[in-house]
Amino acid sequence: MITIQELNEIKQKTLENMKLRLQEDSGKGLHGKHVLICGGPGCHSSNAEGIKKAFKEKIKEKGLDKEIKVSLAGCFGLCETGPNVEIYPDGIFYAHIKIEDIDEIVENHLCKGKIVERLLYEGSLKDGKIKQVSEVDFYNKQKKIALRNCGIIDYESIDEYIALDGYQALAKVVMEMTQQEVIDIVKASNLRGRGGAGFPTGRKWETAYEYKANKKYVICNADEGDPGAFMDRSILEGDPHSVLEAMAIAGYAIGSDQGYIYVRAEYPIAVRRLQIAIAQAKEKGLLGKNIFGTDFSFDIELRLGAGAFVCGEGTALMESIEGRRGMPRTKIYRTAHRGLWQKPTIINNVETFANVPAIIQNGVEWFKNIGTEDSPGTKVFALGGKIKNTGLIEVPMGVTLREIIFDIGGGIPNGKKFKAVQTGGPSGGCIPEEHLDTPVDFGSLGRLGSIMGSGGMIVLDEDDCMVDIARFFLDFTVEESCGKCVPCREGTKRMLEILERITKGEGTPEDIDRLESLAETITNGSLCGLGQTAANPVTSTLKYFRDEYEAHVYEKRCPAGSCQSLLEFFITEDCIGCTKCARNCPVSCISGKVKERHVIDTEKCIKCGTCMEVCPTGAVIKK
Amino acid sequence: MANVTFTIDGQKVTVPSDYNIIEAAKTVGIDIPALCYDPNLEVVGACRLCLVEIEGSRKLQTSCSTKVKEGMVVHTESEKVVKLRKEILQLLLDNHPNDCLTCQKAGECLLQRYAYRYDIKFREHDGARRPNLVDTSSPYILKDDSKCILCGKCVRTCNQVLDRKVLSFGGRGFDTRIVADANFSLEESTCVSCNRCVTVCPVGALVDKRLLGKTRVWDGEIKGVKCKACDYGCNFEVLSKKGKNIAVRAKAPSEGRPLCLKGRLTTELMYLDEPETPYKKEDGKFQEATWKEALGLEGVFEKILSDENDKK
Ligand SMILES: Cc1cc2nc3c(=O)[nH]c(=O)nc-3n(C[C@H](O)[C@H](O)[C@H](O)COP(=O)(O)O)c2cc1C
Ligand code: SF4
Ligand code: SF4
Ligand code: SF4
Ligand code: SF4
Ligand code: SF4
Ligand code: FES
């Protein structure tokens, strides 16, 4: 069993080794260098391990292995530019690093102190000046709470977590505070659930605390089923102890001695790192019996989810842990009263938990000074779609969509025009240009007909057809509906059929009315959040882009030029009459003499696109 | 149990505080449509037909799962509720065969009843439909998946008996189906033909095959009887037409009664004028059997016959 003194000893000792990375100059000057390689989901799959090995070998070869440390850390966030490498204490960010580049970095930068400009992340070069990581646009508008340790600490080292104040909050809670005091802090902070609904965490805890029972449970929801979302995964992989510590704090607050982390089986790395972290915490007595010598005991076990999106819904998740089919329960009782195995249970999202130790450590005022009144703190978003810097960011609530997309995200690539941003995952809504200056928080997104959801953000540009986007998201929901309740099971399918018809140019004016009516039924009638939000992509696009629906229905035209069946192939004046298209057309619908402009018979054309591919002068266009 | 007083469709009602709105409504003759609710089964809130408006609550609430509260004001047929109900029924009919003409369930079918009540009709469309999977493998039960509305009652009732637990949900979303064991036919499955599931099915998706074509519910007479095969005394109905007893069917089990095939066959033998050949399942195959074999207990069998003879 660990004491607070021992915890502090580990902290001091380990901090000494982390100085380079933290750029903490204690006056004596920093000696040596530290190469930090991003081990986040994106970089991991593009050979981060191999890069680490190559760095180590090369550094050893140069005899510098005493002075230069090499380690992997959690996600840096800039997945677009991976594999990413940072060199400390210089704060230099290298992007798109290949094994072949390593020699040059070691020889020039590490040996001679000469920065390899060629390999720098492009955003860190401005007006010929090299900027430090912390100053580049991508990072300087961000504020890290949930991701505070990701990308800094070695995710397999409990000592490094402890060095950065890890487990201090738990120590303080179990040794100095009453249950009610802990709950009061969480309540006062107005921390809202980051798993989607934004429910006040403190209130949830209080409800469970006040309900007397012989057994209570704490569940961490790490199911993260939104396609394209990986914020929870990054926290679990980059800083697993922050979640364990928070769960123990929650356990203390509500009077529970057992926690479960429900994590997707498709996250094997997260699972492994959690297993390691749990074992480390148990070994040090930070989990298990009599934590810090008090009579508080708390254990955590993992439960693997089979991957159905709906299993992320709190009650379906509990059904799944209990060994039944993952279908949401009808809410007769609150889960804080009767949840897992009918016992009082609190369930929180990974990111929600990751905030808790920071709040206990730094206090309510500190937290409330970040973000908005409606939603204090920060939110992690996964940027995707038509945006330059795809990746993971954490920003204070209240920054505008424009700042996120254009300042941090770098705007739209290829000079295209921004059209809309889809927030909140598959059941979120599409927000158009005119609302880009909206400060982002739970309330504001809701008022725009979208949701915060788990923090997915997909940027759409002028080439994206909004009807087709709605169809795309609905297709996901139809696949993932559990089939329990009628409006969602039957209704979403019918909506999808209508959207498919419209994108094929077979829509009728009544179809738009039917979409609206179905949306209402599904939203008001469905049992769980999946159905209740399933229509959002449709209602929001109908609200902001109705003209696109009407163009499809009345004019059989896709304004974005994206719906294949509504396009016609056309040969422009640029045609040189090479006959290539006519020879390649599978249905021989192109006619024309050699050296004369060719013509497509659009009646016969099957829109295969072959002519466009083969034309040497780009004379074939879709319109 | 304390009582609560609340208002439903303008009427003040006092009921015990553990009542659901749907039960409380019944006490004053208000019939809230419900396809998945059954007082003997766990409440699941799946069909959404029983949604009602509660003043002060932003969302509609399912009356099968919502307990009454002091002072609550409930509207069971408000415009909003009715619109939603109609659309839910239309969604169900859009995925249901137009077969009421010859469906064995007609006259007792809840879907038919509610469609009539809310004036919803079958209509043509070229969208997807439930596949026409009909399981005829059992001589006792006809399982017609195309008519299933996935209320889940059959699953819940089958799972109430520990050593049965045959039925479950398979697939998901629009493709969800009720399956026996690992998607076996009823014959191959471990189904014991107790017909619990048949008694709770609100539509013609699970019907007693030994009733097929014999009578329409409105044609014959129905008399309730108690099973004599064991101490539970499960409830059965004897259907008769023109003075002849033509079929026996199980009534929904309650108060922990299990229902079983032997009991039903025993009742058939006791009451029917011309009982049909019984079948026994052996190694996953239904075989024609003699009555003695089907009922297993020869002693009991002889006793019943002699009891019956005594009565005559
Ligand atoms: C269909 C559906 C899927 C969900 N998936 C997740 C998920 O993957 N992770 C998560 O944390 N919450 C998910 N939620 C939200 C949970 O139901 C629940 O609100 C949340 O875990 C509570 O934690 P929080 O208050 O910390 O956000 C989902 C909800 C629905 C309706
Ligand atoms: S809304 Fe959809 S996912 Fe939720 S219970 Fe109903 S069918 Fe299942
Ligand atoms: S799109 Fe295909 S079918 Fe149409 S003209 Fe070109 S090659 Fe022929
Ligand atoms: S199950 Fe009901 S609605 Fe369906 S065909 Fe039979 S009687 Fe008609
Ligand atoms: S007949 Fe009985 S055992 Fe067979 S499926 Fe129905 S309830 Fe289950
Ligand atoms: S078979 Fe009948 S009881 Fe079972 S789910 Fe379908 S409709 Fe309901
Ligand atoms: S009866 Fe209430 S939801 Fe089906």
Side-chain angles (χ1 to χ4, degrees), chain A residues 569 581 584-587 589-590 600 605-612:
Chain A
F569 284 79
C581 58
N584 281 288
C585 173
V587 293
C589 69
I590 305 180
I600 298 177
C605 169
I606 55 165
K607 299 177 185 175
C608 68
T610 307
C611 49
M612 202 167 171

Side-chain angles (χ1 to χ4, degrees), chain A residues 42-77:
Chain A
C43 296
H44 187 89
S45 55
S46 47
N47 199 21
E49 295 276 356
I51 290 172
K52 176 182 167 186
K53 222 172 111 218
F55 261 112
K56 282 213 145 156
E57 279 165 12
K58 185 75 190 170
I59 287 167
K60 193 150 189 213
E61 193 187 305
K62 291 273 160 195
L64 289 169
D65 47 324
K66 289 248 156 46
E67 279 112 84
I68 301 178
K69 260 188 77 169
V70 180
S71 53
L72 281 167
C75 187
F76 293 179

Side-chain angles (χ1 to χ4, degrees), chain B residues 93 96-100 103 105-107 109 111-112 122 147 203-205:
Chain B
L93 288 200
H96 195 92
N98 181 352
D99 189 33
C100 301
C103 181
K105 196 76 180 184
C109 171
L111 183 58
Q112 194 186 44
F122 285 114
K147 289 181 183 166
V203 293

